[in-house]
């Protein structure tokens, strides 16, 4: 193995003759301007245009530029993983060849990893990020993919970004199963990491050449998500599994709340002799309190801040979300029964399910944000 360097910039390519020379030049200029000892690693899938001779020629002149030409198992993610393996650095960055990702931001990714983050993600969907010149259809597909990805990684605003950097240990020896386009999802789902940071950037659509994204990419993506979920269930580790553990606990706490509610309704009505509607109001409120306590000390214990006013803030937030959840449940019940003519017990099940999704999401992101 040759001398190691500070940063390896991996550029996957397939038919990029219009862009690749300029891209290598831009990355190399960033290295020089910022005093980074970096290498550019072009991982090509046996392009049919002039990409290979162009890069070969540059690599012959410049020792920090290398080319890998792959002949088998064609694919963007596979190419990136091959780049990870062959890179001569402990910090790895992935960037598209078509200038959709601004090379000028490379030092920020590099510094983020050096500063302690395991993964640095270029995000189009956080404050300061944006997408330029994308047709509406493409935006919608991308938003759908992103929303889906966020179910797995709720803290990450752009889990399908193609612009990111990782510390080598995150991917070294990790059981990555690269397929399709979304290599970052795979790294997040199966890599070994604790912390990440996001860096906003403006995605510019390519000026030269065309996107290689096809319908099959969407299928690949869904299969990949399923694979990550399966992995996290069987391995019981990693962020996806942590998230589903919370969902499960939140559900169990909800069930315990039903028991509390029923028990109190019975006791207050039969033993204390209260009018049943009065008992019901008290029972509902006390079950909200007990749900809050269990979720606070069990489900979301990682997000607790024990200062009194913070406890109070969380409680009011939970109370408000629960009341809204009750309204959601009733609203769905009414709409399904009176408007859609659904059998009321089936409609109630749907109401409970939707209210649960609302309660979980709102509490996860607001009441116990940072959990
Ligand atoms: N080695 C290799 N093999 N490289 C490929 C392949 C392949 O099969 N397909 C595409 N590439 C290279 C392209 O040459 C380019 O450098 C980069 O991967 C991105 O390909 P594009 O075809 O330009 O992708 P895109 O612009 O549609 O998608 C981008 O945005 C997505 C987010 O919406 C990429 O950054 C995706 O990774 C990202 O998920
Ligand atoms: Mn592109």
């Amino acid at each position: 193995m040759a001398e190691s360097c500070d940063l390896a910039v991996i550029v996957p390519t397939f038919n990029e003759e219009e862009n690749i020379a300029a891209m290598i030049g831009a990355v190399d200029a960033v290295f020089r301007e910022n005093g980074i000892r970096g290498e550019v690693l072009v991982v090509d899938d046996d392009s049919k245009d002039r990409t290979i001779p162009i890069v070969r020629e540059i690599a012959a002149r410049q020792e920090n530029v290398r080319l890998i030409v792959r002949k088998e198992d064609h694919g963007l993610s596979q190419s990136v993983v091959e780049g990870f393996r062959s890179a001569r650095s402990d910090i790895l960055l992935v960037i598209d060849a078509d200038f959709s990702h601004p090379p000028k931001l490379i030092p920020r990714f590099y510094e983020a990893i050096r500063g302690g983050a395991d993964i640095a993600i270029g995000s189009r969907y956080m404050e300061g990020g944006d997408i330029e010149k994308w047709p509406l259809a493409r935006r919608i597909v991308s938003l759908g993919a992103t929303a889906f990805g966020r179910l797995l990684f709720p803290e990450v605003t752009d889990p399908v970004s193609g612009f990111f950097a990782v510390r080598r240990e995150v991917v070294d020896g990790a059981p990555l199963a690269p397929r399709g386009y979304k290599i970052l999802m795979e790294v997040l789902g199966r890599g070994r990491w604790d912390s990440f940071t996001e860096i906003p950037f403006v995605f510019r659509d390519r000026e030269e050449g065309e996107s290689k994204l096809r319908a099959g990419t969407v299928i690949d993506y869904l299969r990949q998500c399923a694979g990550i979920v399966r992995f996290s269930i069987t391995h019981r580790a990693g962020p996806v599994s942590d998230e589903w553990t919370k969902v499960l606990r939140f559900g169990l706490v909800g069930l315990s709340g039903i028991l509390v509610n029923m028990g109190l309704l019975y006791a207050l009505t039969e033993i204390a002799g209260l009018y049943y509607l009065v008992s019901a109001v008290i029972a509902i409120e006390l079950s909200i309190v007990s749900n809050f306590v269990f979720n606070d000390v069990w489900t979301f214990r990682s997000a607790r801040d024990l200062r009194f006013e913070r406890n109070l803030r969380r409680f009011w937030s939970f109370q408000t979300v629960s009341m809204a959840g009750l309204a959601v449940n009733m609203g769905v019940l009414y709409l399904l029964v009176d408007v859609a003519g659904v059998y009321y017990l089936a409609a109630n099940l749907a109401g409970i399910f939707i209210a649960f999704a609302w309660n979980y999401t709102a509490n996860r992101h607001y009441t116990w944000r940072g959990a």
Side-chain angles (χ1 to χ4, degrees):
M1 192 170 169
E3 203 191 336
S4 71
C5 55
D6 301 331
L7 172 68
V9 170
I10 297 164
V11 189
T13 54
F14 186 60
N15 297 344
E16 294 288 0
E17 61 181 8
E18 297 102 329
N19 297 307
I20 191 60
M23 190 65 199
I24 294 173
V27 173
D28 198 44
V30 167
F31 288 161
R32 271 184 281 107
E33 280 157 24
N34 295 275
I36 298 172
R37 289 187 315 131
E39 68 165 342
V40 182
L41 187 51
V42 176
V43 190
D44 186 86
D45 257 330
D46 206 11
S47 290
K48 300 302 166 224
D49 66 356
R50 292 193 31 79
T51 304
I52 294 172
I54 291 172
V55 179
R56 223 172 240 146
E57 199 258 321
I58 301 174
R61 285 188 276 117
Q62 242 177 287
E63 64 166 350
N64 70 334
V65 178
R66 284 195 290 142
L67 169 67
I68 297 176
V69 178
R70 308 176 70 245
K71 305 271 184 186
E72 280 155 37
D73 194 20
H74 187 108
L76 175 52
S77 291
Q78 293 91 313
S79 300
V80 170
V81 170
E82 189 148 348
F84 288 161
R85 269 194 230 111
S86 151
R88 293 168 180 162
S89 161
D90 289 333
I91 303 182
L92 314 165
L93 183 143
V94 183
I95 190 168
D96 288 356
D98 61 0
F99 287 93
S100 290
H101 306 147
K104 282 209 159 16
L105 290 181
I106 288 175
R108 291 202 45 200
F109 287 75
Y110 175 64
E111 291 304 333
I113 305 287
R114 292 218 317 172
D118 293 321
I119 308 182
I121 300 169
S123 172
R124 301 161 292 171
Y125 295 117
M126 72 192 286
E127 174 112 39
D130 205 350
I131 300 176
E132 270 178 16
K133 294 201 310 174
W134 255 15
L136 185 63
R138 178 83 205 257
R139 271 173 204 269
I140 292 172
V141 170
S142 172
L143 270 178
T146 308
F148 208 81
R150 279 199 206 169
L151 286 178
L152 302 182
F153 309 104
E155 304 285 86
V156 180
T157 63
D158 199 349
V160 299
S161 175
F163 192 18
F164 63 94
V166 291
R167 192 184 297 288
R168 179 180 278 289
E169 294 93 78
V170 173
V171 292
D172 241 7
L176 303 181
R179 255 192 88 82
Y181 250 57
K182 309 302 182 190
I183 179 61
L184 177 57
M185 290 277 292
E186 202 61 32
V187 171
L188 287 168
R190 300 185 208 237
R192 308 199 171 94
W193 58 277
D194 296 314
S195 62
F196 75 95
T197 181
E198 289 194 289
I199 296 167
F201 81 100
V202 178
F203 185 102
R204 309 200 51 215
D205 205 7
R206 58 169 69 238
E207 310 265 340
E208 303 293 341
E210 59 180 49
S211 166
K212 283 97 200 168
L213 203 99
R214 298 280 171 274
T217 325
V218 177
I219 312 274
D220 275 345
Y221 178 58
L222 294 179
R223 291 176 59 173
Q224 184 190 9
C225 289
I228 292 172
V229 170
R230 211 178 310 121
F231 175 83
S232 62
I233 292 171
T234 50
H235 287 68
R236 292 172 177 255
V240 183
S241 152
D242 290 351
E243 192 64 34
W244 286 100
T245 304
K246 292 194 191 90
V247 174
L248 185 72
R249 289 182 175 183
F250 193 80
L252 290 174
V253 169
L255 286 178
S256 82
I258 294 177
L259 292 181
V260 170
N261 187 331
M262 299 286 268
L264 283 171
L265 180 61
Y266 176 83
L268 291 172
T269 312
E270 300 294 326
I271 301 171
L274 294 180
Y275 178 54
Y276 81 97
L277 281 181
V278 177
S279 313
V281 170
I282 299 173
I284 288 174
E285 184 50 38
L286 290 180
S287 66
I288 289 177
V289 172
S290 86
N291 282 359
F292 172 77
V293 170
F294 285 128
N295 280 321
D296 203 52
V297 301
W298 190 48
T299 315
F300 298 111
R301 62 181 157 209
S302 57
R304 292 177 81 203
D305 175 337
L306 293 176
R307 276 174 291 177
F308 179 74
E309 73 276 12
R310 293 304 171 86
N311 283 319
L312 210 59
R313 186 199 71 78
R314 287 200 301 283
F315 177 71
W316 279 121
S317 165
F318 184 76
Q319 174 85 33
T320 312
V321 170
S322 302
M323 306 291 271
L326 217 58
V328 168
N329 196 339
M330 295 300 146
V332 171
L333 182 61
Y334 173 80
L335 282 178
L336 286 180
V337 174
D338 266 54
V339 182
V342 176
Y343 178 57
Y344 76 99
L345 287 180
N348 194 38
L349 218 53
I352 289 174
F353 191 78
I354 294 171
F356 179 82
W358 152 259
N359 281 339
Y360 180 78
T361 320
N363 283 313
R364 167 74 175 81
H365 289 285
Y366 191 72
T367 312
W368 286 283
R369 63 173 157 248

